[in-house]
Amino acid sequence: MELALWTYEGPPHVGAMRVATAMQDLHYVLHAPQGDTYADLLFTMIERQGRRPPVTYTTFQARDLGSDTAELFKKSCLAAYERFQPSALLVGSSCTAELIQDDPAGLARALKLPIPVVPVELPAYSKRENWGAAETLYQLVRAFAGPAATQPRDPRSCNILGPTALGFRHRDDTREIRALLEGLGIRVNVTAPLGARPADLARLPEAAFNVILYPEIAHSAASWLQRTHGQPFTRCIPIGTIGTREFLAEVMQLADLADADVSPEALRAPWYARSVDSNYLHGKRVFVFGDATHALAAARVATEEFGFTLVGLGTYSREFGRDIREAAATYNVPALVTDDYLAVEARITEAQPELVLGTQMERHIAKRLGIPCAVISAPVHVQDFPARHSPQMGFEGANVLFDTWVHPLMMGLEEHLLSMFREDFEFSDQAAPSHLPQSSQPAPAPAVPLPAAVATGWTPEAERELMKIPFFVRGKARRNTERYAADRGIGQITVEALYEAKAHHAR
Amino acid sequence: MSVPETLLPTACATPPVRFERGQREVFCGLTGIVWLHRKIQDAFFLVVGSRTCAHLLQSAAGVMIFAEPRFGTAILEERDLAGLADANEELDRIVGRLLERRPDIRMLFLVGSCPSEVIKLDLGRAAQRLDRAHAPGVRVLSYSGSGIETTFTEGEDACLAALVPAMPQASAAQETQLLVVGALAEIVEDQFRRIFAELGLRNVAFLPPRRAGELPPVGPNTKVLLAQPFLSATVAVLERRGAHRIPALFPLGAEGTTGWIRAVANAFGIAAARVTAVTEAGERRAQRALEGLREELAGKRIFMFPDSQLEVPLARFLSRELDMQPIEIGTPYLNRDLLSAELALLPAGVPIVEGQDVEAQLDRCRAARPDLTLCGLGLANPLEAEGLATKWSIELCFTPIHGYDQAADLAGLFSRPLARRARLRV
Ligand code: SF4
C-alpha cells in the first residue's frame, strides 16, 4: 500500500480512454463499477469536449458479483455495438473488474461481432495512466497496421504518433508540427491516435518514418513499427528553438532531404531572449518538474534559451527515471523521481527557486510558497486548453514558452525601476508584477517554514538589514549568508557577518 | 416518452414509478468525502482502494488547492493483492505514519472501496484494532463508499450511519432532543439553530458534528429530523438506538422549509401561533426573493437525470414555487417512506424513474427537448453542444441550498444557465 493525497497520473484505463477518445469510429467497453464513470468529466469538463467519450461502462454492482457480471459485460458489448456502430471495439477491465477476472477479451470474442475486437489488459495495481495510453496505442497499432507496403515508400512521408485526448497542448502541437513537416515538403500519412480511425492505422506502414511527439505514449508503438515494418522514428523532441532545429535536422535526414536552415520570421523567442530587457532573466533559479519529456525539454530550454539556472529537475514518469537522473547529473542538480506530491513540495521549498516550471500540482505548491510558476506538463487543468492556438512544440511553441515563462515574472525594466525606487514611501516590497492581479502576490506565510530561517540565528539588526535588500535577491542573500556562516561556524549572523558574506560571494 | 399503462396511477396519491436498469452514470459514495471532510473539521478520510479511487476523489474535488487535504487513498498494489504484504500490517503502518504527521486529526474513517470489498478486506475489524491502538486521542471508524454498494450521496449515509454507534447514550431523564441529520453548510446550520431556538427548543444537535469530539448523544428521547433525503441507513441505525424520526418535507424552498419546521413544532407540541411567528418573516423573505426567478423559470420544462436523490424534493420545489414543469424525475433510488410527504406534492402524472439506463434516458431527453436538463458533469457539455441547456447536479451538494435564505440561491442555480443562454449572442 502507498498513501496518495494527490496523484499525478490516473489509472491505466484512463490512458486507454485518452486514446479511444482521441480516435474516431472506435468504442471502448470498460468493465467497471458506476463510480468509474467520473472519468467522463475529465474530457467533457476539463477538455470541454462537446461529445461524450466513446466509452460504455458495465457499471456492475455488488449484487451482480459472483452471478452474472460476465453476462452483463456481454450485454454491454452488444448494446454498445448496436447503438454506436463503431468500426472496432476496444475491451478491458478497470481495477475492480481486474479482481473479478471475467476475461473481457474472451467474452467479447464469444459474441462473434462483425467488427474487430481489441482487448487491452492494463494491470491497474502496478501501472498508470501514461503506460495505459502507450499500451493501448501499441495494441491498436499491432491489431490494425496492415502488411508491409508493397510499393516503395515515398521517403518524404511520415506518421505523427502520440497525441491523445486530454494531453497537454497535444491539439496545438500536432497542428504546429504538421505545418513544419509540410513546409519541408513531407507528407503526413497518418496522425494517431488523435483524429485517426482504425482504418487509418492500417495505413501506418505506408510512411517512410514515424515522428513521435510524446515518447511516454508513442514509444512502444513506434518501436514495434520499427521492428515489424522497418520504420525508423525520431528521437528529438521539438520543444524550444534548439530542440525544434535539431528535430527538423533529424527529420530532413530521415526524409532524405538536403539540410536547410528553417527559421521562420515569426520565430521571436531567441531575439527576445537576447534583447536587453531579458538581462533581468539572467541566472534566475528555476525548478523543473513534469512528465519526463516535458521536464527534460524545459530544463534545456530554461538553461540554454533563457539563461536561467536550474536548481532542481524531476519527473513523476518512473519509466523514464533514468533519463532524468542522467540529465540532472549533467546540470549538477539533484534528480527527483517520485509521484509523491509532498516530496515535490519539500524539494521545492528547500531549493527556493525564483520560478517553478511544473504541472498543475506544482502551480499550487508555488502559489502557496509565493513563487511564480508556469505550467509545462500534464496533469492538466481546464486552463491548459486555451481557446487560442498555443503549442509547446515547434517555433511557435518556442514563442509561447517565452511568453508563458516570462509572464509570471517581473518584467525586466519594471524590476529595475522597483529596485531604484524601493526607498520611496510608495514602494512596497510586496508589489506584484503590474500586469498580474493582486491575488498572485506571495502568500503571507508559507505553509512550510523556509528551512534556513530556523536553522541559524539572525540578530534583529541583521534581519532588518536583510530586509533592505531587494526582495527578489533577498532569498539568495539569505542563503549565501547562512552558508557562509555555517561554513565558518558563525552562530549569530550580525550585520557585519552579512556584509562579510556579501564580499565573500562577490569574489 | 411512454409509461406502461399498468403503472399509471389510479388515484394521484402515488406517482408512476418505473425501474430502469442499464449503464449508470453516477459517482460512487466516495464522492461524499469531498464535502464531509470539510464538515467534520478534525476528521481524516482514508480510502482503502485503487488509483482509480484516488483519481475520482481528486477529480471530484476539482481544485487541488489544499496543502494537505484531510483525505487520501491507501492505494492497493500488486504485492497487497498477491498476499506478499499483509494488508492489515500495511494499513497499520500507513495509519501510524499519517497520524504522526497530522496530530490535529481526532477521527479517522477507513473508507471501503470496490477493490477492498472484492478482496474482502475487513475494514470494520481493522478500524476496531486501530481504534484501540490510537485511543483515546483518535477515534477510528469505517464505512463503505464503494461504487458496487453506494451511489453518490449514499456515501454520506454510510458515513453518518457509522457515526451512530459512536454516539453516547442520551439519558432518559434528559429533555427531548431534536437531532438534525445530514451535512449542512455551517451558515445554514446556524440559521436553523436560531430558528429552533426561537421555537423554544433548548436541546438541539446536529449530525455530523463540526468536530469529532462533539458527537451528540442519542436515545429514546431523541427525535430525528432529516435535512437530506438520502439517509435511510442512518435513520435505521438511529431508530435502533431508540430515536424516532419526524416525517417531514425537506427544507428546500420556502414551502419545504416551513413544512420542515412545522413538522418539528408538531412533534414537540409547539403552539401554531408561535410557529407562524417564527417562520413568517423567513418565509416571506424567501418568497419575495423567488418572485423574479419565478418569472424567468415559470413554464420551463425540466428533465432530471438521476444523481443525488435530491431530485424528488427538488421537483416539488421547482414545480410548486417556481411553476416549472418536470417532465421526468430520475433518481438513483427512491425511498418512498422518507419521501412520502414530498411525493404527495408532486404534480400529477410526472414519471419518476428509479435506477438508470443512461443511453435510454439520453434518447428520451433528446426527444423531449426540455428547456433545462439536470445532469452529471459527464453529460452536461455534450448536451449543451447538442443545444440543450443544462445544470450540473453536483453543485446541489457543494452549495448551500437549504432553508429560507438559500431558496433563491437554489432557484438561481436553475435560472442562470437559461439567463446566460438568453444573453449570449455568439
Ligand atoms: S467505483 Fe469503486 S473503484 Fe471506482 S472510484 Fe468508486 S470505489 Fe473506487
mmCIF file of all heavy atoms in Angstrom, chain A residues 74 116 132 170-171 174 234 254 281 413 436 471:
data_model
loop_
_atom_site.group_PDB
_atom_site.id
_atom_site.type_symbol
_atom_site.label_atom_id
_atom_site.label_comp_id
_atom_site.label_asym_id
_atom_site.label_seq_id
_atom_site.Cartn_x
_atom_site.Cartn_y
_atom_site.Cartn_z
ATOM 1 N N LYS A 74 -21.159 -8.969 -21.573
ATOM 2 C CA LYS A 74 -21.544 -9.320 -22.949
ATOM 3 C C LYS A 74 -22.708 -8.447 -23.421
ATOM 4 O O LYS A 74 -22.718 -7.954 -24.549
ATOM 5 C CB LYS A 74 -21.912 -10.809 -23.035
ATOM 6 C CG LYS A 74 -20.659 -11.694 -23.067
ATOM 7 C CD LYS A 74 -20.941 -13.116 -22.695
ATOM 8 C CE LYS A 74 -21.480 -13.929 -23.853
ATOM 9 N NZ LYS A 74 -21.572 -15.372 -23.476
ATOM 10 N N PRO A 116 -13.693 -5.955 -35.670
ATOM 11 C CA PRO A 116 -12.554 -6.386 -34.853
ATOM 12 C C PRO A 116 -12.729 -5.962 -33.388
ATOM 13 O O PRO A 116 -13.252 -4.880 -33.117
ATOM 14 C CB PRO A 116 -11.361 -5.647 -35.470
ATOM 15 C CG PRO A 116 -11.838 -5.060 -36.739
ATOM 16 C CD PRO A 116 -13.319 -4.991 -36.714
ATOM 17 N N GLY A 132 -0.848 3.133 -19.641
ATOM 18 C CA GLY A 132 -2.098 2.606 -20.207
ATOM 19 C C GLY A 132 -2.342 3.145 -21.608
ATOM 20 O O GLY A 132 -2.782 2.422 -22.510
ATOM 21 N N HIS A 170 -1.634 18.846 -26.799
ATOM 22 C CA HIS A 170 -1.443 17.926 -27.918
ATOM 23 C C HIS A 170 -2.095 18.442 -29.202
ATOM 24 O O HIS A 170 -1.535 18.327 -30.277
ATOM 25 C CB HIS A 170 -2.008 16.544 -27.576
ATOM 26 C CG HIS A 170 -1.177 15.797 -26.578
ATOM 27 N ND1 HIS A 170 -1.321 14.453 -26.342
ATOM 28 C CD2 HIS A 170 -0.181 16.205 -25.755
ATOM 29 C CE1 HIS A 170 -0.455 14.067 -25.407
ATOM 30 N NE2 HIS A 170 0.237 15.115 -25.031
ATOM 31 N N ARG A 171 -3.276 18.989 -29.053
ATOM 32 C CA ARG A 171 -4.008 19.506 -30.214
ATOM 33 C C ARG A 171 -3.151 20.529 -30.963
ATOM 34 O O ARG A 171 -2.962 20.445 -32.177
ATOM 35 C CB ARG A 171 -5.305 20.157 -29.692
ATOM 36 C CG ARG A 171 -6.134 20.919 -30.681
ATOM 37 C CD ARG A 171 -7.126 21.837 -29.932
ATOM 38 N NE ARG A 171 -6.445 23.019 -29.389
ATOM 39 C CZ ARG A 171 -6.995 23.878 -28.532
ATOM 40 N NH1 ARG A 171 -8.218 23.683 -28.085
ATOM 41 N NH2 ARG A 171 -6.324 24.932 -28.104
ATOM 42 N N THR A 174 0.259 19.216 -32.462
ATOM 43 C CA THR A 174 0.075 18.429 -33.676
ATOM 44 C C THR A 174 -0.061 19.337 -34.888
ATOM 45 O O THR A 174 0.570 19.125 -35.925
ATOM 46 C CB THR A 174 -1.179 17.542 -33.526
ATOM 47 O OG1 THR A 174 -1.045 16.792 -32.326
ATOM 48 C CG2 THR A 174 -1.320 16.594 -34.696
ATOM 49 N N THR A 234 11.748 9.280 -34.898
ATOM 50 C CA THR A 234 12.533 10.420 -34.417
ATOM 51 C C THR A 234 12.799 10.317 -32.926
ATOM 52 O O THR A 234 12.008 9.764 -32.182
ATOM 53 C CB THR A 234 11.773 11.740 -34.675
ATOM 54 O OG1 THR A 234 10.488 11.642 -34.062
ATOM 55 C CG2 THR A 234 11.599 11.998 -36.154
ATOM 56 N N LEU A 254 16.017 11.772 -42.162
ATOM 57 C CA LEU A 254 15.161 10.603 -42.364
ATOM 58 C C LEU A 254 14.422 10.679 -43.697
ATOM 59 O O LEU A 254 14.136 9.674 -44.334
ATOM 60 C CB LEU A 254 14.138 10.492 -41.219
ATOM 61 C CG LEU A 254 14.689 10.045 -39.864
ATOM 62 C CD1 LEU A 254 13.644 10.214 -38.776
ATOM 63 C CD2 LEU A 254 15.152 8.596 -39.925
ATOM 64 N N LEU A 281 16.447 38.316 -16.753
ATOM 65 C CA LEU A 281 16.133 36.889 -16.597
ATOM 66 C C LEU A 281 17.380 36.124 -16.209
ATOM 67 O O LEU A 281 17.311 34.977 -15.782
ATOM 68 C CB LEU A 281 15.612 36.321 -17.925
ATOM 69 C CG LEU A 281 14.352 36.951 -18.498
ATOM 70 C CD1 LEU A 281 14.009 36.300 -19.840
ATOM 71 C CD2 LEU A 281 13.188 36.795 -17.533
ATOM 72 N N LEU A 413 12.523 45.771 -17.000
ATOM 73 C CA LEU A 413 12.640 47.184 -16.694
ATOM 74 C C LEU A 413 11.884 47.505 -15.413
ATOM 75 O O LEU A 413 12.322 48.291 -14.585
ATOM 76 C CB LEU A 413 12.086 48.004 -17.866
ATOM 77 C CG LEU A 413 12.444 49.481 -17.834
ATOM 78 C CD1 LEU A 413 13.955 49.655 -17.763
ATOM 79 C CD2 LEU A 413 11.899 50.160 -19.088
ATOM 80 N N LEU A 436 -0.042 41.536 -13.281
ATOM 81 C CA LEU A 436 -0.702 40.397 -12.653
ATOM 82 C C LEU A 436 -1.632 40.884 -11.555
ATOM 83 O O LEU A 436 -1.383 41.904 -10.936
ATOM 84 C CB LEU A 436 0.329 39.439 -12.046
ATOM 85 C CG LEU A 436 1.261 38.772 -13.066
ATOM 86 C CD1 LEU A 436 2.216 37.839 -12.351
ATOM 87 C CD2 LEU A 436 0.481 38.018 -14.118
ATOM 88 N N PHE A 471 13.746 42.426 -2.631
ATOM 89 C CA PHE A 471 13.190 41.131 -2.256
ATOM 90 C C PHE A 471 13.515 40.021 -3.251
ATOM 91 O O PHE A 471 13.613 38.876 -2.883
ATOM 92 C CB PHE A 471 11.673 41.243 -2.080
ATOM 93 C CG PHE A 471 10.944 41.642 -3.323
ATOM 94 C CD1 PHE A 471 10.406 40.667 -4.144
ATOM 95 C CD2 PHE A 471 10.793 42.978 -3.670
ATOM 96 C CE1 PHE A 471 9.724 41.043 -5.278
ATOM 97 C CE2 PHE A 471 10.132 43.346 -4.818
ATOM 98 C CZ PHE A 471 9.592 42.381 -5.634
#
